[in-house]
Every structure is written in C-alpha cells, then in structure tokens.
Amino acid sequence: MKFLNTGLINDLSAALNVSSLKNKVIAENIANIDTPGYKAKNIDFEKAMQEYFSGGQKLSLKTTDEKHIRGGSGAGFVSAEFRNSPSLRNDGNDVNLDLEMYELSANGVLYSELSQLTGYQFTKLKTAITGR
C-alpha cells in the first residue's frame, strides 16, 4: 500500500484550481449583470477534470515565448465557454442571477470539500514524517 500519494495531491490541486477559476467566472458574470450585450460564461467542472485526467493537456501553462517555463499547477488547460442561454432582456445580456447564485453556492461546497480532502492528505504526510 502506498502511503504517500503525491498523484492524488496533484489531482486535488488541479481540481481546486478549476473550482477557483469557476468561482472567478461566476463573479465576472455577476459583476456584469447590468452590462448591455454581456454574455454569461461558464466552466464545466466535470468536463475540465475529464480533460485533465485524459492527460492530453495535463496542467500545461499557456506560453507565448519558447523561453517561458512550462508546467505548473495552474488551471491553464481550462477555458471559459459562453453559456449561450437565451436572453430574456432587451439589452442582450443573458446573465441569470438565480442561476449564478446557485452555481456560486454549489461551487463553494465543492471547493470546501476539495480543501478538506487536500488537508487530510497533508495531515497524513505530516503523520508519516513526525510519527504522530
């Protein structure tokens, strides 16, 4: 049995990064609720994690120069997509505050659970190092 599973910590880190980015996108949607023509964006957490686990673009950072450092633990493999929901407003803005608040709440619960799991992994690591 493998006690120290750094792969799991890396996976949890990626999930935390995606959840954090999703929270930022939701905040941008709410901030632009009165902006005419603004189109709401979304990050599909499950799709992003499937992409991460497929290994194709595993946590690669976007670089603009070949001398830039590749890798890292950011969520550079994720991009926000337009929600493309029908707008009920005359100004073309399609932000639905109820939906954004629901997404914010659900994402907050997810982030909290991921944080607890990550903390548990580090507690196990500390126990292995100190013996207590």
Side-chain angles (χ1 to χ4, degrees):
M1 182 174 148
K2 189 175 180 181
F3 183 76
L4 180 61
N5 189 351
T6 56
L8 179 58
I9 292 174
N10 289 337
D11 295 343
L12 288 168
S13 175
L16 282 167
N17 286 332
V18 172
S19 180
S20 177
L21 186 60
K22 182 176 177 86
N23 205 53
K24 182 180 176 185
V25 169
I26 293 168
E28 286 176 3
N29 288 342
I30 293 171
N32 286 294
I33 196 163
D34 290 327
T35 303
Y38 181 82
K39 301 296 180 192
K41 297 174 190 164
N42 186 35
I43 291 186
D44 186 341
F45 181 84
E46 290 152 12
K47 182 179 168 187
M49 292 310 296
Q50 285 174 354
E51 189 173 320
Y52 168 76
F53 284 116
S54 72
Q57 300 178 15
K58 204 170 193 175
L59 291 182
S60 62
L61 293 176
K62 292 182 182 175
T63 58
T64 56
D65 189 286
E66 63 186 38
K67 295 178 184 174
H68 289 166
I69 297 172
R70 299 190 190 283
S73 59
F77 61 98
V78 178
S79 60
E81 298 174 352
F82 289 107
R83 188 166 279 149
N84 291 327
S85 57
S87 177
L88 301 175
R89 297 170 40 176
N90 290 335
D91 64 0
N93 185 314
D94 67 349
V95 176
N96 180 335
L97 185 58
D98 291 336
L99 177 61
E100 300 301 332
M101 296 309 290
Y102 166 77
E103 292 278 342
L104 187 64
S105 176
N107 193 49
V109 170
L110 176 65
Y111 192 89
S112 177
E113 291 175 2
L114 290 169
S115 297
Q116 288 177 4
L117 286 171
T118 304
Y120 177 70
Q121 293 301 315
F122 281 108
T123 300
K124 284 177 38 179
L125 181 60
K126 180 181 174 187
T127 301
I129 293 170
T130 63
R132 297 190 243 169

